[in-house]
Amino acid sequence: MPLLFDLLGVFFFGVSGSLLAARRGFDIIGSLLLAGLTGIGGGIVRDVILGVLPTAFVNPYYFIPSTLAALLVYFVAPGVQRLKRPLLVFDAAGLALFCTSGTIKALELGMNPFAAALLGVTTAVGGGLLRDVVANQTPSIFDPRDMYAVPAMLGAGLIAALWVAGIEGWAWELGVAAIVFSLRLLSLKLRWHVPKAVGPWHRDAELH
């Protein structure tokens, strides 16, 4: 089941990468590369920090979902350049799955709950960050009109807390992923955002 969650996360993030490639007018090679980078990038960063060989380099199955994602966008989604909503939905799904699986892997390798949660967030946002940088657009995690990382932080924190409480199992992981996915979509619909780096009182002071 953990492998299935990981592969689904790679697929969902891969679709988001290919959708962005299509919107930016990239060719099919660019779409394949962006799908792969988005799908496995966060996991590679996590594994490098953990000091282990990246899972995607050990198990070749990890390259299949991102390839299928690029082909799906190529054959099934004509005119997808104008469709931003599917990109956000698939990205939310990948975010939800990876913040849980990344946290669990770190916990299984002996990381303390706080470090494991941080690595879970890294797994969740790393691929999207690399995708946006390579595609030359402002990363969602730095967008002041968005709260991209907050749902991932909540999900990773919940998984770590459940682990400490001795509560494990794929049903709990799926439940947390569903919460993260729902929160991410709700934040997009209601246009929630986090406070800016400079408080409003500083901006008021500049006016006097």
Side-chain angles (χ1 to χ4, degrees), residues 9 11-13 15-16 19 83-97 131 148 180-182 184-186 188:
F11 175 76
F12 289 134
F13 262 148
V15 171
S16 77
L19 286 172
L83 301 179
K84 186 177 181 179
R85 184 176 298 275
L87 190 159
L88 295 173
V89 171
F90 279 101
D91 184 75
L95 189 81
L97 289 169
R131 173 199 65 207
Y148 187 72
V180 174
F181 179 72
S182 301
R184 174 60 181 152
L185 293 185
L186 192 61
L188 291 169

Side-chain angles (χ1 to χ4, degrees), residues 58-104:
V58 176
N59 190 339
Y61 288 127
Y62 276 78
F63 292 94
I64 296 176
S66 59
T67 302
L68 293 176
L71 293 176
L72 176 68
V73 171
Y74 181 78
F75 286 111
V76 180
V80 77
Q81 293 90 334
R82 300 185 299 273
L83 301 179
K84 186 177 181 179
R85 184 176 298 275
L87 190 159
L88 295 173
V89 171
F90 279 101
D91 184 75
L95 189 81
L97 289 169
F98 273 172
C99 75
T100 58
S101 65
T103 304
I104 290 170

Side-chain angles (χ1 to χ4, degrees), residues 28-54:
I28 184 63
I29 301 301
S31 179
L32 285 166
L33 292 176
L34 203 58
L37 182 64
T38 311
I40 66 176
I44 290 176
V45 173
R46 175 204 64 211
D47 291 343
V48 168
I49 294 174
L50 287 171
V52 299
L53 188 64

Side-chain angles (χ1 to χ4, degrees), residues 146-147 151 182-192:
D146 200 354
M147 49 177 289
S182 301
L183 181 60
R184 174 60 181 152
L185 293 185
L186 192 61
S187 73
L188 291 169
K189 181 177 179 61
L190 300 179
R191 298 182 180 180
W192 291 341

Side-chain angles (χ1 to χ4, degrees), residues 6 8 23 41 60 66 107 126 131 133 139 145 158 163 175 183 190 198 200:
D6 253 5
L8 284 174
R23 293 183 65 225
S66 59
L107 288 167
R131 173 199 65 207
V133 169
R145 299 164 298 179
L158 283 174
W163 180 281
L183 181 60
L190 300 179
V198 177

